[in-house]
Amino acid sequence: MKLLLRGARVVSGDSPQPVDADVLVEDGIIRAVGPGLPEAANDGARVLDMAGRLVMPAMFDAHVHFREPGFEAKEDIASGCAAAINGGVTGVVMMPNTKPALDSASVVRMVLDKAARVSPIKVFASGCITKGREGKEMAGIDGMRRLGVRMLTDDGDPVADPAVLFRAMQYGSEFGMFFASHCETPELAGPRAIHEGRVSYKLGIKGSPACSEEICMDRDIRLAHAVGAHVHIQHVSTALGAETIRMWKERGAKVTAEVAPHHLLFADEDIGDFDTALKMNPPLRTRADNEALLQALKDGVFDLIATDHAPHTPFEKAQDFVSAPNGITGLETALVSLHHHFIAKGVFGWDLLVNRYSTEPRRMMGLEPVPVEEGKAAEFIVFDPDKQTAFTTEFMRSKSRNTPFFGKTLKGQVEMVVLGDRILLERE
């Protein structure tokens, strides 16, 4: 494949403003990037007019639930990867809360083999910290490491026993593995349905207080700091949680953290009349938390943006608010929604998005970034900031529709996804 993109605006993590340039790709390699490439570059190439379009590194999501094995009615690896491509994502890390859980080399191998058969994008598996995610005994960590697992997590639940987590951190960190923490204090979390506050009182539902998350967060960072392990804090939802991470970073702890788009965009007051599309764990907090999380993202407290893509069937989400499962899909909506609500309004620039949703997630997983630069492998997307995306059944590739964006139209569109010598997505 030889592809020449004429008149594009190239986005990088080095500047909030795109740079005007042509991009030449041949045999999966970016051969040239610059304004006004010579006419000779047209020879044998498919030439596309990119006026008004942005060319940027493809995204990487370090927190997704593809539900396979065990819950394929919600999502499977093939449909999850199709959803990722639809949203401009070319690499993902699967969470291990499947059935059976990804707690041994045999289950991890099965998942990675399946991904190699059905997915054109890079799929990485995280491994459980404990057997069956039960929090009692360490999982088969070394066997999973030999298959390339770097992230260990019991995501969906915390490791309740600090002694078990401490020992696992001592063991896994010797092999260069790191630990991703779902922070929650079960004794405080209640039914895990909603933030404790004015809205929970109004709806008559027992809430989960912010301190349920914050107590566990501080505990897990303290344990990792004592061991010298790297701990990654998942889906931070509270203002004090962000400040806790800031404090530990200033103290020299090896801590990274992620924030999900929904915790930046929505608050508990948006739940309205028991809208289960806005039910997730950690729950939506307050507008003040939204603002604090956004500021922490801009300040660099959060290293990553990650969606926590968590599909569920319509039947499950049609239950009453307390009984309905927690989770929101995000792979297909993240890039467009962040553009619509933040970038298009000048809240932050493209450089922040590229760094937090492309470069840093890859670095955390031991991968090289994928800049749009001469000599680099082609792994980029074309984004049209002036077009619109309607999140309809026809558009979405995930098996599930549990997102508050379903039925909405937002500004911006992922127009093309290029990976190596393949065009994985191209819209007219």
Side-chain angles (χ1 to χ4, degrees), residues 173-395:
S173 62
E174 290 293 319
F175 299 117
M177 305 173 88
F178 69 95
F179 295 79
S181 286
H182 169 111
C183 295
E184 183 177 40
T185 306
E187 295 84 354
L188 289 170
R192 309 165 95 184
I194 192 171
H195 171 65
E196 182 178 85
R198 182 180 58 84
V199 176
S200 68
Y201 301 147
K202 177 183 176 182
L203 296 179
I205 299 173
K206 180 177 173 57
S208 177
C211 63
S212 168
E213 181 178 345
E214 294 153 359
I215 290 169
C216 184
M217 183 184 303
D218 188 71
R219 183 204 73 166
D220 288 4
I221 299 174
R222 285 177 183 271
L223 291 171
H225 191 51
V227 172
H230 170 195
V231 64
H232 176 72
I233 305 300
Q234 299 176 303
H235 43 47
V236 178
S237 70
T238 77
L240 186 55
E243 289 309 304
T244 299
I245 294 161
R246 189 193 303 268
M247 178 196 74
W248 278 108
K249 284 189 170 189
E250 290 172 351
R251 289 188 175 191
K254 290 193 277 188
V255 56
T256 53
E258 71 190 38
V259 66
H262 52 263
H263 285 131
L264 297 170
L265 293 168
F266 300 106
D268 57 353
E269 63 189 56
D270 295 318
I271 291 170
D273 189 21
F274 303 99
D275 184 356
T276 60
L278 288 165
K279 185 187 180 213
M280 69 280 297
N281 190 33
L284 298 176
R285 306 289 183 183
T286 67
R287 289 286 178 224
D289 289 300
N290 292 153
E291 293 169 6
L293 295 174
L294 177 59
Q295 188 60 51
L297 176 65
K298 293 164 72 174
D299 290 345
V301 173
F302 293 121
D303 306 84
L304 277 62
I305 294 170
T307 63
D308 191 11
H309 176 84
H312 295 290
T313 65
F315 173 79
E316 292 172 303
K317 279 292 193 176
Q319 298 177 81
D320 67 89
F321 194 84
V322 174
S323 301
N326 287 304
I328 176 175
T329 61
L331 280 168
E332 296 176 276
T333 60
L335 184 56
V336 171
S337 64
L338 291 170
H339 168 261
H340 179 97
H341 288 282
F342 297 126
I343 296 175
K345 297 176 181 178
V347 178
F348 56 71
W350 283 108
D351 55 335
L352 185 147
L353 183 68
V354 167
N355 284 325
R356 300 291 174 252
Y357 197 31
S358 177
T359 300
E360 293 305 324
R362 285 184 169 89
R363 282 184 174 146
M364 186 177 74
M365 293 301 296
L367 306 171
E368 290 295 320
V370 291
V372 182
E373 294 177 358
E374 185 175 335
K376 301 292 186 180
E379 191 164 351
F380 61 80
I381 64 177
V382 175
F383 187 87
D384 191 329
D386 296 319
K387 286 187 178 178
Q388 294 185 323
T389 299
F391 294 104
T392 62
T393 299
E394 292 73 26
F395 172 83

Side-chain angles (χ1 to χ4, degrees), residues 113-187:
D113 286 349
K114 176 67 177 292
R117 293 196 304 271
V118 304
S119 172
I121 68 172
K122 301 176 182 70
V123 177
F124 299 87
S126 61
C128 294
I129 298 171
T130 66
K131 291 181 179 179
R133 296 174 51 254
E134 295 177 352
K136 297 175 182 178
E137 301 177 64
M138 277 197 295
I141 291 174
D142 188 51
M144 295 187 289
R145 176 190 66 83
R146 293 171 186 271
L147 292 175
V149 171
R150 291 178 57 89
M151 179 194 293
L152 296 172
T153 179
D154 276 2
D155 181 47
D157 294 288
V159 178
D161 187 338
V164 172
L165 181 57
F166 187 73
R167 290 195 299 271
M169 285 178 166
Q170 287 177 314
Y171 183 72
S173 62
E174 290 293 319
F175 299 117
M177 305 173 88
F178 69 95
F179 295 79
S181 286
H182 169 111
C183 295
E184 183 177 40
T185 306
E187 295 84 354

